[in-house]
PDB file of all heavy atoms in Angstrom:
ATOM      1  N   LYS A 102     -79.518  10.715  -0.129  1.00 91.00           N
ATOM      2  CA  LYS A 102     -79.133  11.808   0.754  1.00 91.00           C
ATOM      3  C   LYS A 102     -78.920  11.234   2.152  1.00 91.00           C
ATOM      4  O   LYS A 102     -79.717  10.410   2.613  1.00 91.00           O
ATOM      5  CB  LYS A 102     -80.221  12.881   0.773  1.00 91.00           C
ATOM      6  CG  LYS A 102     -79.895  14.081   1.642  1.00 91.00           C
ATOM      7  CD  LYS A 102     -80.862  15.230   1.433  1.00 91.00           C
ATOM      8  CE  LYS A 102     -82.154  15.011   2.147  1.00 91.00           C
ATOM      9  NZ  LYS A 102     -83.035  16.183   2.125  1.00 91.00           N
ATOM     10  N   PHE A 103     -77.839  11.629   2.809  1.00 88.00           N
ATOM     11  CA  PHE A 103     -77.537  11.183   4.154  1.00 88.00           C
ATOM     12  C   PHE A 103     -77.716  12.335   5.124  1.00 88.00           C
ATOM     13  O   PHE A 103     -77.414  13.475   4.794  1.00 88.00           O
ATOM     14  CB  PHE A 103     -76.075  10.713   4.255  1.00 88.00           C
ATOM     15  CG  PHE A 103     -75.745   9.622   3.314  1.00 88.00           C
ATOM     16  CD1 PHE A 103     -75.154   9.875   2.093  1.00 88.00           C
ATOM     17  CD2 PHE A 103     -76.021   8.314   3.643  1.00 88.00           C
ATOM     18  CE1 PHE A 103     -74.848   8.865   1.222  1.00 88.00           C
ATOM     19  CE2 PHE A 103     -75.729   7.283   2.778  1.00 88.00           C
ATOM     20  CZ  PHE A 103     -75.137   7.566   1.565  1.00 88.00           C
ATOM     21  N   SER A 104     -78.161  12.005   6.315  1.00 91.00           N
ATOM     22  CA  SER A 104     -78.284  12.987   7.383  1.00 91.00           C
ATOM     23  C   SER A 104     -77.779  12.331   8.663  1.00 91.00           C
ATOM     24  O   SER A 104     -78.160  11.204   8.981  1.00 91.00           O
ATOM     25  CB  SER A 104     -79.742  13.407   7.528  1.00 91.00           C
ATOM     26  OG  SER A 104     -79.907  14.199   8.666  1.00 91.00           O
ATOM     27  N   PHE A 105     -76.922  13.029   9.407  1.00 90.00           N
ATOM     28  CA  PHE A 105     -76.385  12.476  10.644  1.00 90.00           C
ATOM     29  C   PHE A 105     -75.828  13.595  11.513  1.00 90.00           C
ATOM     30  O   PHE A 105     -75.548  14.692  11.036  1.00 90.00           O
ATOM     31  CB  PHE A 105     -75.292  11.442  10.363  1.00 90.00           C
ATOM     32  CG  PHE A 105     -74.193  11.954   9.477  1.00 90.00           C
ATOM     33  CD1 PHE A 105     -73.080  12.580  10.007  1.00 90.00           C
ATOM     34  CD2 PHE A 105     -74.278  11.817   8.105  1.00 90.00           C
ATOM     35  CE1 PHE A 105     -72.077  13.059   9.196  1.00 90.00           C
ATOM     36  CE2 PHE A 105     -73.274  12.287   7.279  1.00 90.00           C
ATOM     37  CZ  PHE A 105     -72.167  12.914   7.831  1.00 90.00           C
ATOM     38  N   ILE A 106     -75.678  13.286  12.794  1.00 90.00           N
ATOM     39  CA  ILE A 106     -75.099  14.218  13.765  1.00 90.00           C
ATOM     40  C   ILE A 106     -73.816  13.584  14.288  1.00 90.00           C
ATOM     41  O   ILE A 106     -73.789  12.407  14.623  1.00 90.00           O
ATOM     42  CB  ILE A 106     -76.073  14.489  14.925  1.00 90.00           C
ATOM     43  CG1 ILE A 106     -77.337  15.170  14.395  1.00 90.00           C
ATOM     44  CG2 ILE A 106     -75.419  15.333  16.009  1.00 90.00           C
ATOM     45  CD1 ILE A 106     -78.430  15.331  15.423  1.00 90.00           C
ATOM     46  N   VAL A 107     -72.753  14.371  14.375  1.00 89.00           N
ATOM     47  CA  VAL A 107     -71.472  13.897  14.898  1.00 89.00           C
ATOM     48  C   VAL A 107     -71.318  14.416  16.319  1.00 89.00           C
ATOM     49  O   VAL A 107     -71.536  15.592  16.580  1.00 89.00           O
ATOM     50  CB  VAL A 107     -70.297  14.398  14.028  1.00 89.00           C
ATOM     51  CG1 VAL A 107     -68.967  13.965  14.611  1.00 89.00           C
ATOM     52  CG2 VAL A 107     -70.437  13.904  12.611  1.00 89.00           C
ATOM     53  N   SER A 108     -70.953  13.502  17.237  1.00 87.00           N
ATOM     54  CA  SER A 108     -70.722  13.921  18.623  1.00 87.00           C
ATOM     55  C   SER A 108     -69.422  13.328  19.142  1.00 87.00           C
ATOM     56  O   SER A 108     -68.842  12.446  18.523  1.00 87.00           O
ATOM     57  CB  SER A 108     -71.894  13.489  19.505  1.00 87.00           C
ATOM     58  OG  SER A 108     -71.989  12.092  19.538  1.00 87.00           O
ATOM     59  N   ASN A 109     -68.986  13.816  20.289  1.00 84.00           N
ATOM     60  CA  ASN A 109     -67.780  13.392  21.019  1.00 84.00           C
ATOM     61  C   ASN A 109     -66.492  13.883  20.381  1.00 84.00           C
ATOM     62  O   ASN A 109     -65.703  14.530  21.041  1.00 84.00           O
ATOM     63  CB  ASN A 109     -67.694  11.872  21.186  1.00 84.00           C
ATOM     64  CG  ASN A 109     -68.677  11.354  22.192  1.00 84.00           C
ATOM     65  OD1 ASN A 109     -69.259  12.117  22.939  1.00 84.00           O
ATOM     66  ND2 ASN A 109     -68.870  10.064  22.210  1.00 84.00           N
ATOM     67  N   ASN A 110     -66.234  13.549  19.134  1.00 85.00           N
ATOM     68  CA  ASN A 110     -64.964  13.873  18.501  1.00 85.00           C
ATOM     69  C   ASN A 110     -65.188  13.980  17.000  1.00 85.00           C
ATOM     70  O   ASN A 110     -66.183  13.484  16.488  1.00 85.00           O
ATOM     71  CB  ASN A 110     -63.956  12.770  18.822  1.00 85.00           C
ATOM     72  CG  ASN A 110     -62.540  13.296  18.851  1.00 85.00           C
ATOM     73  OD1 ASN A 110     -62.260  14.377  18.375  1.00 85.00           O
ATOM     74  ND2 ASN A 110     -61.637  12.518  19.420  1.00 85.00           N
ATOM     75  N   GLY A 111     -64.264  14.601  16.297  1.00 86.00           N
ATOM     76  CA  GLY A 111     -64.396  14.733  14.849  1.00 86.00           C
ATOM     77  C   GLY A 111     -64.248  13.401  14.133  1.00 86.00           C
ATOM     78  O   GLY A 111     -63.553  12.506  14.585  1.00 86.00           O
ATOM     79  N   VAL A 112     -64.927  13.277  13.007  1.00 87.00           N
ATOM     80  CA  VAL A 112     -64.843  12.079  12.171  1.00 87.00           C
ATOM     81  C   VAL A 112     -64.035  12.448  10.935  1.00 87.00           C
ATOM     82  O   VAL A 112     -64.350  13.419  10.256  1.00 87.00           O
ATOM     83  CB  VAL A 112     -66.246  11.592  11.744  1.00 87.00           C
ATOM     84  CG1 VAL A 112     -66.145  10.426  10.798  1.00 87.00           C
ATOM     85  CG2 VAL A 112     -67.077  11.242  12.944  1.00 87.00           C
ATOM     86  N   SER A 113     -63.001  11.662  10.642  1.00 87.00           N
ATOM     87  CA  SER A 113     -62.225  11.937   9.435  1.00 87.00           C
ATOM     88  C   SER A 113     -62.320  10.741   8.493  1.00 87.00           C
ATOM     89  O   SER A 113     -62.326   9.593   8.929  1.00 87.00           O
ATOM     90  CB  SER A 113     -60.763  12.223   9.792  1.00 87.00           C
ATOM     91  OG  SER A 113     -60.187  11.097  10.388  1.00 87.00           O
ATOM     92  N   GLY A 114     -62.408  11.038   7.230  1.00 88.00           N
ATOM     93  CA  GLY A 114     -62.437   9.986   6.215  1.00 88.00           C
ATOM     94  C   GLY A 114     -63.723   9.187   6.188  1.00 88.00           C
ATOM     95  O   GLY A 114     -63.695   7.986   5.941  1.00 88.00           O
ATOM     96  N   LEU A 115     -64.858   9.835   6.417  1.00 87.00           N
ATOM     97  CA  LEU A 115     -66.141   9.129   6.361  1.00 87.00           C
ATOM     98  C   LEU A 115     -66.422   8.736   4.918  1.00 87.00           C
ATOM     99  O   LEU A 115     -66.324   9.546   4.004  1.00 87.00           O
ATOM    100  CB  LEU A 115     -67.256  10.032   6.898  1.00 87.00           C
ATOM    101  CG  LEU A 115     -68.571   9.356   7.196  1.00 87.00           C
ATOM    102  CD1 LEU A 115     -68.405   8.352   8.331  1.00 87.00           C
ATOM    103  CD2 LEU A 115     -69.606  10.384   7.597  1.00 87.00           C
ATOM    104  N   LYS A 116     -66.759   7.459   4.716  1.00 90.00           N
ATOM    105  CA  LYS A 116     -66.900   6.922   3.369  1.00 90.00           C
ATOM    106  C   LYS A 116     -68.216   6.162   3.248  1.00 90.00           C
ATOM    107  O   LYS A 116     -68.625   5.454   4.147  1.00 90.00           O
ATOM    108  CB  LYS A 116     -65.711   5.987   3.103  1.00 90.00           C
ATOM    109  CG  LYS A 116     -65.670   5.404   1.738  1.00 90.00           C
ATOM    110  CD  LYS A 116     -64.397   4.650   1.387  1.00 90.00           C
ATOM    111  CE  LYS A 116     -63.740   3.904   2.478  1.00 90.00           C
ATOM    112  NZ  LYS A 116     -62.624   3.056   2.020  1.00 90.00           N
ATOM    113  N   TYR A 117     -68.873   6.316   2.094  1.00 88.00           N
ATOM    114  CA  TYR A 117     -70.110   5.598   1.766  1.00 88.00           C
ATOM    115  C   TYR A 117     -69.754   4.505   0.764  1.00 88.00           C
ATOM    116  O   TYR A 117     -69.127   4.765  -0.260  1.00 88.00           O
ATOM    117  CB  TYR A 117     -71.129   6.573   1.168  1.00 88.00           C
ATOM    118  CG  TYR A 117     -72.250   5.925   0.394  1.00 88.00           C
ATOM    119  CD1 TYR A 117     -73.244   5.224   1.047  1.00 88.00           C
ATOM    120  CD2 TYR A 117     -72.296   6.005  -0.988  1.00 88.00           C
ATOM    121  CE1 TYR A 117     -74.270   4.624   0.329  1.00 88.00           C
ATOM    122  CE2 TYR A 117     -73.318   5.416  -1.712  1.00 88.00           C
ATOM    123  CZ  TYR A 117     -74.293   4.725  -1.044  1.00 88.00           C
ATOM    124  OH  TYR A 117     -75.304   4.129  -1.747  1.00 88.00           O
ATOM    125  N   ILE A 118     -70.158   3.256   1.075  1.00 91.00           N
ATOM    126  CA  ILE A 118     -69.896   2.121   0.188  1.00 91.00           C
ATOM    127  C   ILE A 118     -71.227   1.449  -0.123  1.00 91.00           C
ATOM    128  O   ILE A 118     -71.974   1.096   0.791  1.00 91.00           O
ATOM    129  CB  ILE A 118     -68.949   1.100   0.837  1.00 91.00           C
ATOM    130  CG1 ILE A 118     -67.633   1.765   1.225  1.00 91.00           C
ATOM    131  CG2 ILE A 118     -68.697  -0.077  -0.098  1.00 91.00           C
ATOM    132  CD1 ILE A 118     -66.754   0.913   2.089  1.00 91.00           C
TER     133      ILE A 118
END
Side-chain angles (χ1 to χ4, degrees):
K102 181 169 78 172
F103 302 96
S104 172
F105 54 89
I106 297 173
V107 177
S108 64
N109 287 347
N110 209 345
V112 176
S113 63
L115 193 65
K116 183 171 35 172
Y117 161 72
I118 302 169

